[in-house]
């Protein structure tokens, strides 16, 4: 029997589309944020995205494995952002064309990391194109995260056993269905600010934090900005810990 390999192909295609980054904010309606204000602030900010939502737990049921000929082992690992919220009541499932093909009804902890281990079932051949969704429900956050794409199913491999499989589930947030990844240092330079590694950048819509990152020594740090809908105006904040100053760039870009 051939095994179906679903999740790795799903991740690869999503990473190419959803995680692409840009060195310039002009593709996001940028070009507005060319001025900034500076205020004293000695304390380093503790900015965080609030991932709490209001969705009910789905009533997912185990698939009837007797109707499928093929199976594969799948072991996704939660990305670092979601690991602090993991609980025993979390669920993860794989759907093919909206049909549930694999279910993990509880998480396991190994070496400080959170995993889900389960089988995914199917009858598809390697030439068929299907819509595959990886869905994760967080009980603490009351939120469903979904990654979906149309893919061809490859054969004869497991996923997440020999090599870590960490799907970018925050990019499939029900609370923030829009996301954009930009280079934080480029956004600061565009406003006339010289970025320094180790300092913190935050993206805000109103008073709500929509993304934050510590600048890396590489000088090219991806900043993921999460949105409720396209066109939201984003304010950027940059804290210079050495100088004890907070830079605010209003209307820096639009999602």
């Amino acid at each position: 029997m051939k095994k179906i390999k679903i999740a790795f192909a799903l991740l690869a295609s999503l990473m190419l589309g959803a995680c692409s980054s840009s060195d310039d904010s002009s593709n996001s309606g940028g070009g507005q944020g060319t001025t900034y204000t500076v205020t004293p602030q000695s304390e380093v900010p503790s900015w965080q995205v609030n991932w709490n939502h209001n969705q009910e737990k789905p009533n997912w049921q185990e698939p009837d494995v007797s109707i499928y000929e093929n199976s594969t082992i799948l072991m996704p690992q939660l990305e670092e952002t979601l690991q602090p919220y993991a609980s025993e009541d979390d669920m993860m499932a794989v759907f093919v064309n909206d049909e549930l093909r694999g279910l993990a009804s509880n998480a396991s902890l190994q070496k400080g990391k959170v995993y889900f281990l389960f089988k995914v079932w199917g009858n598809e051949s390697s030439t068929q194109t299907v819509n595959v969704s990886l869905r994760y429900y967080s009980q603490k956050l009351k939120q469903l995260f979904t990654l979906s794409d149309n893919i061809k199913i490859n054969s004869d491999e497991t996923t997440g056993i020999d090599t870590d499989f960490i799907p970018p589930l925050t990019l499939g947030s029900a609370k923030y269905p829009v996301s954009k990844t930009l280079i934080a240092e480029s956004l600061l330079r565009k406003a006339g600010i010289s970025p320094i590694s180790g300092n913190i950048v935050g993206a805000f819509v109103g008073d709500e934090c929509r993304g934050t990152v510590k600048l890396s020594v590489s000088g090219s740090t991806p900043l993921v900005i999460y949105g409720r809908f396209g066109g939201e105006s984003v304010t950027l904040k940059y804290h210079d810990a050495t100088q004890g100053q907070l830079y605010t760039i209003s209307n820096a870009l639009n999602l």
Side-chain angles (χ1 to χ4, degrees):
M1 274 187 197
K2 286 189 176 181
K3 295 181 178 180
I4 55 173
K5 179 191 176 188
I6 291 179
F8 185 79
L10 170 64
L11 174 65
S13 62
L14 285 168
M15 290 292 285
L16 288 173
C19 294
S20 60
S21 61
S22 169
D23 290 338
D24 198 316
S25 63
S26 59
N27 291 333
S28 311
Q32 306 167 34
T34 56
T35 61
Y36 56 84
T37 60
V38 184
T39 54
Q41 183 173 324
S42 58
E43 184 179 355
V44 177
S46 55
W47 297 325
Q48 288 186 337
V49 177
N50 181 359
W51 290 104
N52 291 297
H53 203 30
N54 56 7
Q55 291 180 293
E56 294 184 1
K57 187 175 184 177
N59 184 29
W60 294 334
Q61 302 295 323
E62 291 279 0
D64 179 1
V65 301
S66 66
I67 64 175
Y68 301 110
E69 295 182 357
N70 311 321
S71 69
T72 186
I73 301 295
L74 178 62
M75 193 170 74
Q77 177 183 321
L78 279 189
E79 58 191 300
E80 186 176 352
T81 299
L82 295 177
Q83 286 197 17
Y85 309 103
S87 76
E88 294 181 353
D89 294 321
D90 292 353
M91 303 175 72
M92 185 175 286
V94 169
F95 287 76
V96 176
N97 295 328
D98 284 328
E99 178 185 346
L100 196 152
R101 297 291 188 84
L103 176 64
S105 55
N106 53 66
S108 61
L109 183 66
Q110 298 181 23
K111 298 181 180 179
K113 299 178 181 180
V114 181
Y115 295 86
F116 291 84
L117 178 63
F118 55 108
K119 280 188 176 183
V120 180
W121 302 85
N123 295 316
E124 287 78 14
S125 69
S126 60
T127 60
Q128 289 180 262
T129 298
V130 295
N131 182 266
V132 177
S133 293
L134 180 65
R135 306 180 190 181
Y136 164 64
Y137 181 78
S138 169
Q139 180 64 41
K140 287 186 177 180
L141 296 175
K142 305 292 184 186
Q143 183 171 182
L144 178 64
F145 298 84
T146 303
L147 297 177
S148 299
D149 203 2
N150 294 318
I151 65 170
K152 286 187 178 180
I153 296 176
N154 298 323
S155 62
D156 296 328
E157 293 188 43
T158 60
T159 303
I161 304 299
D162 299 322
T163 304
D164 284 347
F165 170 51
I166 310 174
L169 287 162
T170 51
L171 296 180
S173 164
K175 183 178 182 180
Y176 300 119
V178 177
S179 65
K180 185 169 289 291
T181 303
L182 299 169
I183 300 302
E185 289 87 349
S186 296
L187 295 171
L188 295 175
R189 292 192 187 99
K190 182 165 186 165
I193 300 170
S194 298
I196 301 174
S197 64
N199 286 333
I200 296 175
V201 177
F204 291 79
V205 174
D207 294 328
E208 184 180 4
C209 180
R210 296 296 187 83
T212 183
V213 72
K214 179 183 288 188
L215 298 182
S216 65
V217 295
S218 71
S220 183
T221 312
L223 169 64
V224 183
I225 305 173
Y226 300 94
R228 296 180 187 273
F229 54 85
E232 288 184 295
S233 178
V234 177
T235 293
L236 290 178
K237 297 184 180 183
Y238 169 69
H239 183 257
D240 187 326
T242 303
Q243 300 296 324
Q245 293 179 327
L246 179 67
Y247 294 75
T248 302
I249 313 168
S250 299
N251 304 315
L253 59 103
N254 293 331
L255 280 175

